Amino acid sequence: MTREVLGWWLATRVGLFVLSVSAPLLFNRGTDYPDVWHAWVQWDVWHLKALAQFGYNNGEPSQAPLAAFFPGFPVLVHIVQWTGVGYFGAGIVVSAVASAVAGVYLARLAQYEFPELKGLGPNAAVIWYGAPVGVFLAAGYTEALFCAFAFPAWLAARQGRWARAAMFVALAATVRVSGIFLAFALVVEFVTSKKRDWPSAPWLLLPAIPVLGFMAYLKKIHGSWFAWQQAQEKGWAREFTWPWDSLVHTWDAASRGHFAGERSDWTWMFRAELVALVIGLLVLAWLVRRRSWGEAAWVAATVGAFCTSFWVYSLTRATLLWWPLWIGLAVLAHRHRWIGRFYLCVAIPLAAIWAAGFFTGRWTG
């Protein structure tokens, strides 16, 4: 199973590399010959690179408040760049290795949950690799690294190995704020699991250590325990908003747009965010019906966080973190082959469009 998953990982990485070279050439909007290597250096890649290079206490070298980002990914990038590949190259290397590890554990988790469905694991992995927003598993973003910790964490939890699960969740909590939601989901899974082991309950506190440590560090250098949240509000308008107001703002951006100079770039993305929201609610309903309370808590917490910002955005990327979505699609494709074919016919073109948009500097979530 591992070899098959890694084969799909390699094939999809090659495909993304081809797109990264061809998209800037085909859709070059300038007069100069495009730098195809620069295609990988978009949006948050700049901020994460600046954080890896300069740290949290050197102003805003990328013109954004860097306290918004958790330290796990930048620390690894800083270490890997010592090999001579540079900061941008190190980000790609970290994501490449992490996406391979995450794909293998997603396959193992899928096969563990549905042992009667032979070959389900690799199918879940290829569906995940081929996701419309799969480009973010290859670029220097945090999604792949988070999943490389979150997927084995959940597999361990389902097996009743709570200490191991807590350790992986603690690692995930160094990468993204989503680690806090994952820690909450782990507690729900423990309480509702038939394999709960009360002597292991103290391990569930472990993920709080890196989160509190990060907050204490920000308090020392920025004067606030919640500097990361304040940075999110300052740089990305993620101040608390009632869900109904957030939906109104998102609908307005999706229908009329607030960025006149780049209308086609932004409105289509906000429409995709609304689609991702509907998908999240459907997945949540499926999980509640299955009484998968831990996974339901995970998806609900993620959706809730995005729906309480000024508007819903970057939820499309967050779907990569929802292993129940990709395992559920694999189950449907196994039981109804036409669904698998339909998914691939839709997902592959969308993945190419998303990747081309990212590689040419357009906002893609």
Side-chain angles (χ1 to χ4, degrees):
M1 179 169 64
T2 298
R3 182 177 298 180
E4 184 176 355
V5 170
L6 293 178
W8 282 115
W9 168 83
L10 179 60
T12 51
R13 300 316 89 179
V14 170
L16 286 169
F17 173 76
V18 171
L19 281 168
S20 73
V21 173
S22 60
L25 296 176
L26 292 173
F27 304 106
N28 181 25
R29 292 180 291 182
T31 57
D32 297 330
Y33 191 85
D35 179 1
V36 294
W37 167 244
H38 184 77
W40 291 93
V41 187
Q42 309 289 353
W43 303 99
D44 285 359
V45 174
W46 282 105
H47 308 317
L48 291 165
K49 177 262 183 186
L51 188 52
Q53 185 173 3
F54 301 107
Y56 289 95
N57 200 23
N58 287 280
E60 298 181 0
S62 63
Q63 308 303 311
L66 298 181
F69 298 94
F70 277 48
F73 184 86
V75 166
L76 279 181
V77 168
H78 186 78
I79 293 172
V80 173
Q81 65 85 27
W82 290 340
T83 64
V85 298
Y87 285 98
F88 292 130
I92 294 174
V93 170
V94 170
S95 289
V97 175
S99 61
V101 172
V104 169
Y105 275 96
L106 177 63
R108 293 179 181 178
L109 177 58
Q111 206 63 68
Y112 179 84
E113 296 284 15
F114 298 91
E116 73 279 6
L117 303 181
K118 294 182 179 180
L120 182 71
N123 289 343
V126 72
I127 286 173
W128 183 62
Y129 285 137
V133 288
V135 63
F136 293 106
L137 296 175
Y141 270 63
T142 60
E143 279 74 14
L145 183 61
F146 182 87
C147 291
F149 296 137
F151 294 171
W154 206 257
L155 176 59
R158 294 294 291 161
Q159 294 171 335
R161 303 165 68 183
W162 302 106
R164 178 183 174 89
M167 290 178 187
F168 275 112
V169 172
L171 290 171
T174 70
V175 179
R176 293 171 60 95
V177 68
S178 308
I180 299 174
F181 310 144
L182 186 61
F184 165 67
L186 181 64
V187 171
V188 174
E189 179 67 17
F190 179 85
V191 172
T192 59
S193 174
K194 296 179 180 179
K195 297 181 180 180
R196 65 177 173 270
D197 175 22
W198 289 110
S200 298
W203 281 102
L204 302 181
L205 299 174
L206 186 63
I209 294 177
V211 175
L212 292 175
F214 179 53
M215 293 173 66
Y217 175 72
L218 292 180
K219 172 67 167 63
K220 181 179 180 180
I221 64 174
H222 292 301
S224 173
W225 288 87
F226 295 96
W228 59 272
Q229 176 60 34
Q230 294 159 3
Q232 287 278 348
E233 294 174 358
K234 177 183 177 182
W236 290 269
R238 292 199 183 277
E239 65 270 14
F240 177 80
T241 307
W242 291 109
W244 43 88
D245 291 330
S246 178
L247 288 175
V248 169
H249 298 156
T250 306
W251 182 266
D252 189 40
S255 57
R256 292 191 293 274
H258 292 290
F259 311 94
E262 297 183 276
R263 178 179 173 85
S264 63
D265 285 357
W266 292 85
T267 54
W268 80 273
M269 197 61 246
F270 278 108
R271 293 168 186 171
E273 301 291 353
L274 291 172
V275 173
L277 176 58
V278 172
I279 292 173
L281 294 175
L282 290 174
V283 172
L284 179 58
W286 175 62
L287 292 171
V288 170
R289 183 179 179 181
R290 294 187 71 242
R291 298 175 181 260
S292 300
W293 303 118
E295 292 171 319
W298 163 237
V299 175
T302 306
V303 171
F306 280 93
C307 288
T308 51
S309 296
F310 181 81
W311 45 40
V312 180
Y313 72 102
S314 297
L315 185 60
T316 51
R317 277 195 287 127
T319 61
L320 292 168
L321 316 182
W322 296 344
W323 66 87
L325 169 61
W326 310 109
I327 293 175
L329 284 173
V331 171
L332 285 174
H334 186 92
R335 294 174 175 171
H336 308 282
R337 294 189 179 278
W338 69 269
I339 293 180
R341 297 188 184 102
F342 178 79
Y343 170 80
L344 292 176
C345 288
V346 174
I348 291 175
L350 283 177
I353 292 170
W354 239 284
F358 176 82
F359 290 134
T360 54
R362 292 169 171 81
W363 173 245
T364 53

